């Protein structure tokens, strides 16, 4: 049994981390570390103490400063990840206090800024963009510059550092929360172990006892036994069934020892990765080992810190990792590093015990259950003694990994570790001639590679033999690289095989090139970081002192510049107040659907889905003859009640089915719901289900948009949703000087990756009623669909939605089927049924963003002015409409941000045999905006013009804006994009940085930078929304709204608007009304017509509904207030309300706000500049800086809007740069969890993110002049993609200069397609998989020419 049932259960997100405290009676100390509770077995924490975020503080006992600071720094949006963030930070604070660092300033801790940032490096957040979380963490650090911290609710900008520090919630680093109670220490000292007669949990205390236990179980037929080190491996290798017996290895001293002597350092196999890191870094290590050994150990430790995340490293053992690599071919970094340094392992079998090399161990047949890995030893390696050499040889050691995330929490594409013994040349040695001290001889070399798609890590023996004894020059290095590419060959079917092989060459090049081109005396080459010493000794070509990396990695994030404008015109509306509920989100008290206690007799559901794209479903059975453990029923279409309809989704375009009736139309099509007595049993049963398919007499499935066109498989676009062309395309093309015809763009899907999964609880109620608790963005549609599904009146259904742990569109229509399935099961069985959909199932079934194919033809003048653009757009909608018919309008809406002269299009919504796609943050708009930039980039390339110049030539004038957008453009003064464009250029120093980028690129060979500025124009629409405000007898106020709190701060803005609206009564104390306001959960029987919470404008519409209600209440109260003023003078708010109750004044008001047609649509404007640096050896892109200027009208809450802007932008970075939503040929998602789908993390966001929120206030017909902030900023992340393209362009120019004509890079300005997302393999391919070979060829030829020239002079 796990500590929690997390729907990811992979240890990849950090949402469920807790502080695990163990008492060490031998040293009388408590050891504290964060662990992932979804991977931690309950029995393994016997005699341990667990601290959760609520244990730090809560609303009843008082919040901890961590909670208060995260809330005050606006670092919680949906809040689902926030408790995990708090515990990760708390653990870092606790462990920092155990150091002997100097006493910190009052209110701070011994934590350092770099540690504070890394404390949350493994925690995922989909909402905030991480910067405010990092600021909250850094506010505890002793070495923080308080001026570097971002927007918060504690201090004002112009206050002194001392005042600012004093305003932070006080933290006393000497006051510890007791993480380990005294009674538990006594029990631990008594040696308490679990009673194996009660629990199937065994804790041997010696290797001999372990072997006897294992041997005793061999005779028990069918008994499943698991050896437990930490259980973190189950996050990667899923275990569908429980084991019969568990053997805990955590009490065997030999497995937990670390031994040092003059032969090396030996780790017990049970030592955690974190313990190994700490041991390898111990300062006392120098007293035992040589300088070379200390260097090797420290570099191993540095590499180990990039494996997994801190809360996994705290649990995962070295031995467990190596056994997974040996037995299951796990792509281990540890195995690669260890074989490079000749590590030895000690293995015990039932009959023997032997010490063998790790390399041999990995090649052995998979370890059986009778064998145990006892220890791993890293031996001391010493330089080779060479009597003939006049100079002493030195050891050189480096490790490498290329992964989507620099700080770990991602498997590597390839890892490597190299150890070399080198000595300087001095005339001639025994092997090869030398040319003075600029060359080095390789006496010995060990090259290890792993994780590239092979069974296990390898030593590249042929390459080692080739290099042994060679004197390094370019020709030798070139031959070695050719050999390494022949040796490092991924197995068939491995993704990105050429990229992985190119990495092997790149890493070997990076390791050896300093020996070829250092130009330094050997005494400067020290053991500690030899490459840096070589690099710093002189320039390599034009790289000034830093060969491969121009970025300072000391701090993850640089101080950000945040500029907001607040207004007191509608106080407290417009104030940057703290998000409502942020503190209880931080403490873990905020209730999400799965937090609701299960009712008595509750059952749990899991979906059984199709694994075929098109197939008849004949039936479902289980692998075993009897139903799996705990299964109560399998619910399918036949269980829909009489009179009910098989409805799983309901939109304005119609309905789609809940369960397959006969034909499964896609992979992920819902066939049935298995219901069991626990979520674990339900999930296990769904995995054991076997679906009987019939594929005969069926057409081939439609799996591409091209197939859909060929078979005319389209959904109808309603005429009023069909976008209209602008201008005369034929005329525009006739005016063009140049044309690009039929260029293509492919855009992929994107997964929502909400932190809280789809969840629902259905509870049968009296009188044939059903109560649904749903994590939904549209409870109204859930309500209607469930009623129709059950065949009961809508007044018999009640849907409650309090808050949603992230939605991004994925919990709009997609939440309906989850609730409906629960309801059908609960209705049939007469028992409550709940579902918490696991991550894999969700990623397979949910759909995501719409993929599409775009073909464009564009005409343009020689000066870059575009005269006409035509698009053919094929949208993959999947098997049902969902909201797909609105996509064409959305695409064209954001595409019109430039003046195209004339714009025409042919857009088709294709019906395919894929899961139905749905709205995802900025649906259609993000694609349309990207298409516009791709066209601009193509035109600029064709004309060999600067892209920014082409953008400027095609920005709208007020006249062209009105021509393209009609009445949505508003009034001329509302068009703020031109001023934003110039303001951004100044605030970001754009033009100066453009020149700096050019200079950087001219002086750096292995890094290239790019910078790009892009605009956004986004058309938004207000929707009808209900609201209800009631004043209670004590003067407190309760508000109900149709909009759902998703993390976007809707409740906060509603509270502000309520306080403003009621303050117009102008009573004494009315200016403090905000603290009296509570917004309550959505209830579809209490407030109807809630609609969708989507499209960025729900907060505005909801606030307007509330304002109208407040106006009604103020109107009712005004006569009473005036009469009381005549009698008593000043009237307090409380007195007024008491009198109103006494005089039967109606103090409840509701309304249904319907926006005025003339102002219901408006345009949002913004612009961004992004600068990136691309590593040409690995393809890694680092976002150095992004600057955003965004027009929020008159912001309802600048702090909330700032968070929305940053969060959307970072989510956009995910789409454009990182997130690969990969599918197999049938449409089955193979990127289906945190191991394979990588959203942005704190180490992949911009190192510096500057945001200015413009309060333009030119929108008096809008809701208090406000504008939306939720979705449009996501479109600006395209600037990162465009900057990356600019950097690649520079790399390709350089490659052309090396290769000459005929190399495939003939025209440096030629158009190349940079895919979305621009992942490391994509970028590296465009920079040249063979870039190091080309470089060496170029340098070798240059060397020969120079040598020939010197001979001629002589």
């Amino acid at each position: 049994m796990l500590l929690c049932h997390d729907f990811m259960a992979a240890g990849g997100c950090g949402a469920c981390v807790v502080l695990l405290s163990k008492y060490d009676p031998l040293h009388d100390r408590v050891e504290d570390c964060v662990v992932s509770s979804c991977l931690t077995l309950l029995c393994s924490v016997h005699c341990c103490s667990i601290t959760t975020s609520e244990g730090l503080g809560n609303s009843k006992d008082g919040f901890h400063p961590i909670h208060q600071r995260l809330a005050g720094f606006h670092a919680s949006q949906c809040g689902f990840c926030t408790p995990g963030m708090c515990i990760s930070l708390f653990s870092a604070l606790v462990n920092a206090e155990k150091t002997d660092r100097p006493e910190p300033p009052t209110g701070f801790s011994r934590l350092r800024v770099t540690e504070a940032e890394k404390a949350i490096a493994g925690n995922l957040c989909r909402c905030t963009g991480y910067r405010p979380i990092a600021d909250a963490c850094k506010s505890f650090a002793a070495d923080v510059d308080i001026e570097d911290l971002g927007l918060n609710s504690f201090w004002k900008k112009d206050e002194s550092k001392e005042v600012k520090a004093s305003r932070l919630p006080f933290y006393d680093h000497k006051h510890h929360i007791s993480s380990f109670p005294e009674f538990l220490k006594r029990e631990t000292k008594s040696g308490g172990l679990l009673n194996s007669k009660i629990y199937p949990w065994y804790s041997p205390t010696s290797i001999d006892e372990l072997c006897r236990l294992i041997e005793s179980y061999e005779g028990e037929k069918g008994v499943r036994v698991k050896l437990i080190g930490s259980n973190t491996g189950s996050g990667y290798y899923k275990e569908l069934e429980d084991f019969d017996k568990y053997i805990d290895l955590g009490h065997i001293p030999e497995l937990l020892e670390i031994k040092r002597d003059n032969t090396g350092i030996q780790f017990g196999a049970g030592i955690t990765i974190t313990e190994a890191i700490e041991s390898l870094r111990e300062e006392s290590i120098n007293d035992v080992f040589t300088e070379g050994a200390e260097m090797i150990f420290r570099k191993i430790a540095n590499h180990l810190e990039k494996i997994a995340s801190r809360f996994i490293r705290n649990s995962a053992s070295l031995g467990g990792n190596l056994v997974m690599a040996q037995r299951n071919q796990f792509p281990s970094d540890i195995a690669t590093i260890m074989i490079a340094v000749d590590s030895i392992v000690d293995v015990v079998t039932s009959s023997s015990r032997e010490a063998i090399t790790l390399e041999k161990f990995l090649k052995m047949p998979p370890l059986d259950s009778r064998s145990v890995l006892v220890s791993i030893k890293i031996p001391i390696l010493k330089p080779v003694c060479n009597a003939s050499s006049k100079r002493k040889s030195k050891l050189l050691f480096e490790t490498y990994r290329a992964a989507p995330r620099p700080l770990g929490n991602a498997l590597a594409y390839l890892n490597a570790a190299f150890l070399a013994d080198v000595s300087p040349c001095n005339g001639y040695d025994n092997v090869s001639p030398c040319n003075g001290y600029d060359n080095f001889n390789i006496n010995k070399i060990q090259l290890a590679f792993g994780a590239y798609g092979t069974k296990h890590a390898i030593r590249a023996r042929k390459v080692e033999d080739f290099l042994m004894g060679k004197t390094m020059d370019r020709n030798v290095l070139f031959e070695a690289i050719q050999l390494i590419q022949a040796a490092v060959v991924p197995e068939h079917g491995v993704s990105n095989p050429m990229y992985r092989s190119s990495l092997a060459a790149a890493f070997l090049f990076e390791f050896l090139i300093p020996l070829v081109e250092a130009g330094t005396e050997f005494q400067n080459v020290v053991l500690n970081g030899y490459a840096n010493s070589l690099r710093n000794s002189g320039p390599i070509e034009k790289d000034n002192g830093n060969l491969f990396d121009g970025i300072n990695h000391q701090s993850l994030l640089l101080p950000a510049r945040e500029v907001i404008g607040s207004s007191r015109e509608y106080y407290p509306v417009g104030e940057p107040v703290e998000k409502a509920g942020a503190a209880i989100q931080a403490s873990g008290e905020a209730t999400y659907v799965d937090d609701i206690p299960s009712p008595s007799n509750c059952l749990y559901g899991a979906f059984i889905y199709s694994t075929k794209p098109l197939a008849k479903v004949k039936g479902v059975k289980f692998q075993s003859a009897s139903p799996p453990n705990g299964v109560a029923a399998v619910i399918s279409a036949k269980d829909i009640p009489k009179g009910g309809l098989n409805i799983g989704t309901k939109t304005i375009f119609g309905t789609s089915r809940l369960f397959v009736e006969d034909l499964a139309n896609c992979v992920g099509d819902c066939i049935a719901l298995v219901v069991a007595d626990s979520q674990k049993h339900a999930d296990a049963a769904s995995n054991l289900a076997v679906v009987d398919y019939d594929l005969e007499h069926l057409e081939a499935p439609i799996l591409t948009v091209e197939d859909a066109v060929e078979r005319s498989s389209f959904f109808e676009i309603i005429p009023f949703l069909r976008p209209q062309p602008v201008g005369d395309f034929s005329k525009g093309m006739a005016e063009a000087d140049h044309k690009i015809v039929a260029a293509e763009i492919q855009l992929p899907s994107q997964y929502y990756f909400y932190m809280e999964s789809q969840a629902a609880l259905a509870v049968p109620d009296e009188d044939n009623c059903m109560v649904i608790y749903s994590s939904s963005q549209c409870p109204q549609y859930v309500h209607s669909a469930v009623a129709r599904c059950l065949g009961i009146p809508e007044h018999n259904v009640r849907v409650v939605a309090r808050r949603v742990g992230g939605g991004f569109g994925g919990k709009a229509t997609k939440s309906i089927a989850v609730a409906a399935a629960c309801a059908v099961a609960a209705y049939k069985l007469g028992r409550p049924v709940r579902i918490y959909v696991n991550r894999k199932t969700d990623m397979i079934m949910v759909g995501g963003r719409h993929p599409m194919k775009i073909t464009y033809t564009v005409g343009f003048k020689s000066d870059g002015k575009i005269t006409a653009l035509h698009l053919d757009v094929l949208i993959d909608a999947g098997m049902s409409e969902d909201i797909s018919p609105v996509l064409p309008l959305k695409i064209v809406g954001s595409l019109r941000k430039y003046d195209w002269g004339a714009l025409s299009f042919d857009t088709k919504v294709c019906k395919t045999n894929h899961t139905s796609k749905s709205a995802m943050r900025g649906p259609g708009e993000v694609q349309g905006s990207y298409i516009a930039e791709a066209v601009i980039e193509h035109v600029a390339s064709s004309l060999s013009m600067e892209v920014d110049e082409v953008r400027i030539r095609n920005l709208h004038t007020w006249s062209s804006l009105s021509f393209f957008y009609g009445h949505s453009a508003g009034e001329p003064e509302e068009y703020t994009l031109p001023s934003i464009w110039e303001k951004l250029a100044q605030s970001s120093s754009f033009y100066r940085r453009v020149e700096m980028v050019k200079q950087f690129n001219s002086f750096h060979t292995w890094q290239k930078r790019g910078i790009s500025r892009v605009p956004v124009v986004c058309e938004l629409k207000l929707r009808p929304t209900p609201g209800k405000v009631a004043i209670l007898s004590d003067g407190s106020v309760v508000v109900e709204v149709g909009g759902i709190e998703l993390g976007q701060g809707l409740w906060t803005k509603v509270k502000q608007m309520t306080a403003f609206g009621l303050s117009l009564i102008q009573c004494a104390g009315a200016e403090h009304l905000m603290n009296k306001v509570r917004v309550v959960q959505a209830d579809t029987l209490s407030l109807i017509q809630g609609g969708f919470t989507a499209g960025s404008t729900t907060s505005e519409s909801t606030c307007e509904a509330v304002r109208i209600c407040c106006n009604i209440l103020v109107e009712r109260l005004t006569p009473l207030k005036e009469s009381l003023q005549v009698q008593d003078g000043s009237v307090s708010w409380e007195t007024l309300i008491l009198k109103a109750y006494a005089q039967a004044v109606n103090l409840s008001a509701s309304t249904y706000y319907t926006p005025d047609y003339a102002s219901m649509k408006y345009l949002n404007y913004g612009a961004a500049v992004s600068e990136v640096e691309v590593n040409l050896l690995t393809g890694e892109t680092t976002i150095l800086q992004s600057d955003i200027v965004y027009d929020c009208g008159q912001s309802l809450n600048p702090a909330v809007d700032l968070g929305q802007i940053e969060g959307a932008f970072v989510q956009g970075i995910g789409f454009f740069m990182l997130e690969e939503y990969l599918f197999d040929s049938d449409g089955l998602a193979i990127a289906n969890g945190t191991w394979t789908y990588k959203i942005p993390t704190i180490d992949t966001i911009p190192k510096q993110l500057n945001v200015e929120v413009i309060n333009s206030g030119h929108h008096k017909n809008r809701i208090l002049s406000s504008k939306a902030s939720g979705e449009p900023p996501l479109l600006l992340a395209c600037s990162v993609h465009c900057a990356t393209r600019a950097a690649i362009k520079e790399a390709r120019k350089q490659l052309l200069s090396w290769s000459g004509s005929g190399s495939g890079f003939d025209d440096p300005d030629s158009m190349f397609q940079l895919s979305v997302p621009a992942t490391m393999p994509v970028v590296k391919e465009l920079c040249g998989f063979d870039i190091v070979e080309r470089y060496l060829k170029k340098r070798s030829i240059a060397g020969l020419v120079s040598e020939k020239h010197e001979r001629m002079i002589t």
Side-chain angles (χ1 to χ4, degrees), residues 758-898:
Q758 301 280 358
L761 167 62
V763 183
D765 203 359
E766 63 182 27
D767 198 22
N768 202 33
C769 291
M770 187 68 66
V771 179
I772 308 286
Y773 299 90
S774 175
S775 180
S776 175
Q777 295 177 234
C778 52
Q780 174 193 337
Y781 286 81
V782 172
H783 185 126
S784 177
V786 167
R788 294 181 66 183
C789 204
L790 299 181
I792 59 178
E794 286 197 22
H795 65 222
N796 281 26
V797 176
R798 177 176 170 231
V799 179
V800 177
R802 178 171 294 181
R803 62 173 58 83
V804 172
F808 318 113
K811 291 181 184 168
T813 61
K814 295 297 182 178
S815 67
I816 299 173
V818 178
C822 272
V824 171
Y827 195 87
K828 177 179 174 62
L829 301 174
R831 296 170 63 178
V833 175
R834 74 188 314 160
I835 301 175
Y836 195 60
V837 182
N838 68 67
R839 178 69 79 189
K840 178 180 177 181
T841 299
D842 192 59
M843 293 192 76
I844 288 171
M845 295 183 68
V846 79
R849 195 182 292 281
H850 290 77
M852 56 187 67
K853 178 183 177 182
I854 304 97
T855 306
Y856 62 87
T857 295
V858 60
F860 48 96
K861 296 284 192 179
S862 296
D863 64 356
K865 181 65 187 78
I866 295 171
T867 57
L869 173 65
H870 175 79
L871 301 172
D872 292 304
V873 183
L874 301 175
I875 302 167
D876 188 343
M879 67 173 182
S880 63
E881 291 103 323
D882 201 273
I883 57 87
S884 299
V886 307
L887 261 289
L889 200 62
K890 292 283 190 179
I891 293 168
V892 173
S894 60
L895 179 77
R896 290 181 289 177
K897 67 180 181 177
Y898 288 115

Side-chain angles (χ1 to χ4, degrees), residues 69-86:
R69 293 194 191 185
L70 260 84
F73 276 96
H74 312 292
S76 182
Q77 290 189 18
C78 86
F80 199 81
C81 72
T82 314
M85 298 283 183
C86 291

Side-chain angles (χ1 to χ4, degrees), residues 792-1030:
I792 59 178
E794 286 197 22
H795 65 222
N796 281 26
V797 176
R798 177 176 170 231
V799 179
V800 177
R802 178 171 294 181
R803 62 173 58 83
V804 172
F808 318 113
K811 291 181 184 168
T813 61
K814 295 297 182 178
S815 67
I816 299 173
V818 178
C822 272
V824 171
Y827 195 87
K828 177 179 174 62
L829 301 174
R831 296 170 63 178
V833 175
R834 74 188 314 160
I835 301 175
Y836 195 60
V837 182
N838 68 67
R839 178 69 79 189
K840 178 180 177 181
T841 299
D842 192 59
M843 293 192 76
I844 288 171
M845 295 183 68
V846 79
R849 195 182 292 281
H850 290 77
M852 56 187 67
K853 178 183 177 182
I854 304 97
T855 306
Y856 62 87
T857 295
V858 60
F860 48 96
K861 296 284 192 179
S862 296
D863 64 356
K865 181 65 187 78
I866 295 171
T867 57
L869 173 65
H870 175 79
L871 301 172
D872 292 304
V873 183
L874 301 175
I875 302 167
D876 188 343
M879 67 173 182
S880 63
E881 291 103 323
D882 201 273
I883 57 87
S884 299
V886 307
L887 261 289
L889 200 62
K890 292 283 190 179
I891 293 168
V892 173
S894 60
L895 179 77
R896 290 181 289 177
K897 67 180 181 177
Y898 288 115
D899 176 9
W900 305 110
L903 176 64
S904 67
F905 30 78
D906 180 11
T907 307
K908 291 181 169 60
V909 180
C910 301
K911 181 178 181 180
T912 64
N913 292 111
H914 290 297
T915 51
S916 295
K917 304 301 181 276
S918 191
M920 183 176 178
R921 200 173 194 171
E925 293 147 336
V926 65
Q927 293 99 327
S929 189
Y930 172 78
I931 294 165
E933 299 305 335
V935 172
I936 292 287
E937 298 259 352
H938 199 165
V939 169
S941 290
S942 298
L943 295 172
S944 298
M945 287 179 64
E946 291 292 336
V947 179
D948 197 68
E949 186 179 344
V950 176
R951 287 194 174 100
I952 291 170
R953 288 193 183 281
N954 291 284
L955 287 177
H956 279 297
T957 62
W958 164 247
S959 175
S960 66
L961 185 79
S962 300
F963 181 55
F964 273 77
Y965 282 101
H967 76 273
S968 297
E971 299 301 321
E973 64 270 17
E974 295 181 43
Y975 181 40
T976 57
L977 182 58
S979 61
I980 288 172
W981 191 253
E982 291 307 315
K983 178 183 278 287
L984 178 65
Q986 293 174 19
S987 63
S988 69
S989 303
F990 176 67
Y991 294 112
R992 179 176 64 84
R993 285 168 58 200
V994 167
E995 295 306 313
M996 289 173 64
V997 165
K998 289 178 182 177
Q999 185 178 17
F1000 179 92
N1001 290 336
S1002 68
F1003 280 90
H1004 287 75
T1005 302
W1006 301 108
Q1007 311 87 36
K1008 297 297 177 186
R1009 291 183 177 179
I1011 188 168
S1012 181
R1013 176 173 56 158
V1014 303
V1016 64
V1017 178
C1018 198
E1019 187 174 34
L1020 297 172
K1021 181 180 179 181
L1022 297 169
R1023 289 195 304 275
T1025 309
K1028 181 179 179 181
V1029 180

Side-chain angles (χ1 to χ4, degrees), residues 102-400:
E103 183 75 8
T106 302
F108 294 87
S109 73
R110 286 189 168 92
L111 196 68
R112 293 169 178 158
V113 165
T114 54
E115 294 169 336
E117 291 176 325
K118 289 181 180 179
I120 57 166
N123 295 73
L124 301 185
C125 175
R126 193 56 153 166
C127 299
T128 64
Y130 298 100
R131 184 212 49 79
I133 304 174
D135 279 349
C137 294
K138 289 189 286 189
S139 73
F140 288 90
D143 59 341
V144 71
D145 184 342
I146 207 92
E147 300 288 357
D148 291 346
L149 301 180
L151 178 69
N152 60 76
S153 61
F154 304 123
W155 62 68
K156 298 187 184 302
K157 190 174 182 180
D158 56 353
E159 292 178 329
S160 69
K161 285 187 177 183
E162 293 73 21
V163 171
K164 288 178 178 178
S166 69
R167 294 193 187 282
L168 283 169
F170 184 72
Y171 174 71
D172 183 359
H173 74 99
K174 295 178 181 178
H175 174 69
H176 296 299
I177 291 174
S178 177
S179 61
F180 205 92
E182 288 299 320
F183 80 88
L184 208 50
K185 288 183 180 180
R186 293 191 295 272
E187 186 169 336
T188 305
K189 287 177 180 177
S190 67
L193 296 174
L194 281 174
N195 187 341
S196 59
K197 293 181 180 179
I198 301 174
Y199 306 97
W201 187 270
Y202 301 83
S203 303
T205 57
S206 69
I207 295 293
D208 289 340
E209 185 182 352
L210 172 63
C211 292
R212 289 196 299 272
L213 263 177
I214 294 172
E215 192 174 346
S216 69
Y217 298 143
E218 288 180 358
E220 298 184 36
K221 188 176 181 181
V223 173
R224 287 166 46 84
V225 180
K226 180 174 182 178
L227 302 184
I228 297 293
S230 62
N231 198 52
T232 54
S234 65
Y236 190 76
Y237 299 105
K238 300 299 182 184
E239 295 167 351
L240 304 182
E241 297 182 61
D242 289 334
F243 289 81
D244 301 301
K245 298 183 187 295
Y246 295 85
I247 301 177
D248 181 9
L249 305 179
H251 299 274
I252 302 175
E254 193 173 351
L255 299 182
L256 305 174
E257 292 176 335
I258 301 175
K259 298 178 181 178
R260 298 183 183 87
D261 58 30
N262 58 8
T263 65
I265 182 168
Q266 180 173 297
F267 297 101
I271 291 296
T272 67
I273 298 173
T274 295
E275 289 169 335
I277 293 169
E278 292 170 353
S279 178
L280 290 165
R281 285 179 175 165
E282 280 184 15
E283 292 181 7
S284 59
I285 209 166
N286 292 323
D287 300 333
V288 181
F289 303 121
T290 64
E291 185 184 2
E294 184 272 335
M295 175 271 293
I296 292 172
F297 292 156
R298 195 182 65 256
K299 289 192 174 182
I300 291 175
N302 291 343
H303 191 109
L304 293 182
E305 206 169 37
K306 298 175 184 176
I307 296 172
S309 56
R310 190 160 59 104
F311 44 83
I312 297 298
R313 294 193 297 268
N314 288 341
S315 301
S317 65
L318 293 178
N321 183 283
L322 293 176
V323 168
M324 285 200 306
Q326 198 269 351
R327 183 185 288 164
N328 305 110
Q329 301 173 21
F330 178 73
S332 164
D333 281 71
I334 297 174
T336 305
I337 298 167
M338 295 299 188
I339 68 169
V341 292
D342 289 335
S343 296
I344 306 294
V345 295
D346 194 5
V347 181
V348 171
T349 66
S350 57
S351 59
S352 65
R353 178 170 183 163
E354 63 176 331
I356 59 175
T357 66
L358 177 59
E359 186 180 13
K360 180 179 178 182
F361 172 73
L362 293 173
K363 293 178 179 178
M364 287 169 51
L367 216 60
D368 60 30
S369 59
R370 296 169 296 178
S371 303
V372 178
L373 178 63
V374 177
S375 66
I376 308 100
K377 182 174 183 178
I378 307 174
I380 295 295
L381 299 172
K382 298 179 180 179
V384 175
C385 292
N386 188 344
S388 65
S389 176
K390 294 182 180 180
R391 296 190 177 221
K392 185 180 178 182
S393 65
K394 299 280 188 177
L395 287 179
L396 310 176
F397 180 70
E398 293 289 344
T399 71
Y400 303 88

Side-chain angles (χ1 to χ4, degrees), residues 535-594:
R535 294 168 194 168
N536 292 333
S537 62
I540 304 299
E541 211 172 47
K542 291 186 179 179
D543 288 3
N544 285 342
N546 204 335
L547 182 58
F548 299 107
D549 193 353
I551 304 164
N552 176 12
H553 287 291
Q554 289 302 308
S555 179
L556 293 177
L557 304 178
L558 297 173
R561 182 178 55 84
E562 297 160 336
V563 180
I564 62 168
S566 60
S567 168
R568 298 184 66 86
E569 183 179 358
Y570 307 113
Y571 182 87
V573 173
E575 287 293 296
V577 301
E578 186 179 293
K579 181 181 176 293
I584 60 169
Q585 288 177 176
S587 69
E589 296 172 273
T591 302
Y592 300 86
V593 170
D594 202 53

